[in-house]
Amino acid sequence: MADIGAKTEAAPADAMPLFYSRPEALNPARHGSLGLTARGDFAFARTAHAIPVVASEMPAAMRSYPIVFIGPAKSPVIITGVRQGENLFVDADGRWTAPHYVPAYVRRYPFILAEDPTTAGRLTLCVDRASERVIDQLMAPFREDKIAPFFSGAEPTEATKQALAFCNQFQIDFRATREMIDRIDAHGLFSPRQSKVTLEGGEVLNLTDFQVIDEPAFNKLSDEAFLDLRKSGALGLLYCHLASTNSWTSLVHQASLRKVDGVKGG
């Protein structure tokens, strides 16, 4: 029996968000010689069976993954595996399986916005120094892939500016999603659920510790409550979640493919 869980931006202050272990505020004095490898390697996500997602990307994500809600905050996540520690969409070479959608939370890594301890409430761009994609430019002559530097002298490069813009937009979407979740929760629409998954070959897995939208309760909402959800923008999130239940089949198919590949590889 596997529980579904992932650390999110709403995690306690002493808990690192999923994927991150050594985030440092970017500055030219400390990181002037560093850069980011251009290689699209998602090996860092290979063990993530649940990944945070924001409302704006749910229309794309729902086609490949079930969307559920976890923890006291009812944080939305996509389910990428049926066993803990296994992402069925990242192969042995660190490639994300095409044509499946790569969530923004994954594409953002190794960057993240974090609170600046010197200025309360102010967010600053950080990079996970533990990431294998963060490279010292002195190593560039020994590598086949290109390295995009973080700084040119004391000034941020275009790559760093793009990372900041991406993280800023993610933060905006994250806050908007939280407001939608709060409105849905205010109407009592979340319900604990577990799912039984049967793989080809007969193996049965029970997934637990997540919540879904109670569709019968949603259909019984008053006109006033429905209008409240519409005005808050939460209806799109809600409908994407409900539609994503069809993607459990896709997940089982992906698990079956992985098992077949494993047998061939053995």
Side-chain angles (χ1 to χ4, degrees):
M1 184 174 293
D3 68 312
I4 294 173
K7 294 173 185 174
T8 70
E9 315 296 88
D14 60 346
M16 285 291 177
L18 179 68
F19 304 147
Y20 299 85
S21 60
R22 229 172 86 206
E24 297 176 357
L26 268 180
N27 70 72
R30 191 174 186 181
H31 307 108
S33 67
L34 301 182
L36 190 71
T37 173
R39 182 166 48 95
D41 183 359
F42 298 108
F44 62 88
R46 188 179 289 132
T47 60
H49 59 279
I51 297 174
V53 67
V54 294
S56 60
E57 58 184 334
M58 287 184 185
M62 71 178 187
R63 298 185 179 97
S64 295
Y65 319 101
I67 300 169
V68 301
F69 307 89
I70 61 171
K74 302 173 178 65
S75 302
V77 297
I78 56 171
I79 304 303
T80 53
V82 292
R83 298 180 181 87
Q84 285 185 308
E86 181 184 45
N87 185 339
L88 295 167
F89 297 86
V90 177
D91 66 19
D93 296 321
R95 292 175 301 219
W96 201 279
T97 304
H100 299 287
Y101 176 76
V102 182
Y105 189 97
V106 171
R107 288 181 280 121
R108 180 185 63 169
Y109 187 79
F111 299 100
I112 191 172
L113 288 182
E115 189 168 321
D116 187 339
T118 63
T119 310
R122 182 174 179 268
L123 297 178
T124 189
L125 182 65
C126 298
V127 67
D128 188 1
R129 282 293 281 112
S131 171
E132 294 182 355
R133 296 187 63 198
V134 177
I135 305 294
D136 193 310
Q137 294 179 73
L138 295 176
M139 297 297 296
F142 306 99
R143 298 180 63 89
E144 295 181 0
D145 50 333
K146 294 182 179 180
I147 298 175
F150 293 145
F151 295 96
S152 178
E155 297 299 315
T157 61
E158 188 61 30
T160 300
K161 292 177 182 177
Q162 289 178 4
L164 177 59
F166 190 94
C167 288
N168 272 328
Q169 186 58 54
F170 185 89
Q171 194 69 17
I172 291 170
D173 292 345
F174 174 80
R175 288 172 177 165
T177 302
R178 278 258 43 95
E179 291 177 2
M180 295 176 197
I181 294 295
D182 290 343
R183 293 314 307 152
I184 294 171
D185 197 20
H187 292 291
L189 295 182
F190 287 106
S191 175
R193 191 65 53 85
Q194 64 179 22
S195 183
K196 181 177 291 187
V197 175
T198 304
L199 305 181
E200 291 183 19
E203 183 181 2
V204 177
L205 300 172
N206 291 310
L207 305 181
T208 63
D209 292 345
F210 65 95
Q211 298 188 58
V212 299
I213 299 296
D214 187 333
E215 191 170 2
F218 170 59
N219 291 331
K220 292 177 183 177
L221 283 178
S222 67
D223 292 346
E224 181 182 10
F226 184 86
L227 183 61
D228 177 62
L229 288 175
R230 183 175 69 80
K231 287 182 176 179
S232 72
L235 284 183
L237 181 158
L238 198 150
Y239 285 131
C240 284
H241 158 69
L242 293 175
S244 78
T245 57
N246 295 319
S247 293
W248 285 107
T249 303
S250 171
L251 194 66
V252 171
H253 176 67
Q254 198 69 21
S256 300
L257 290 178
R258 178 65 60 89
K259 189 171 183 180
V260 169
D261 289 343
V263 171
K264 288 180 179 179

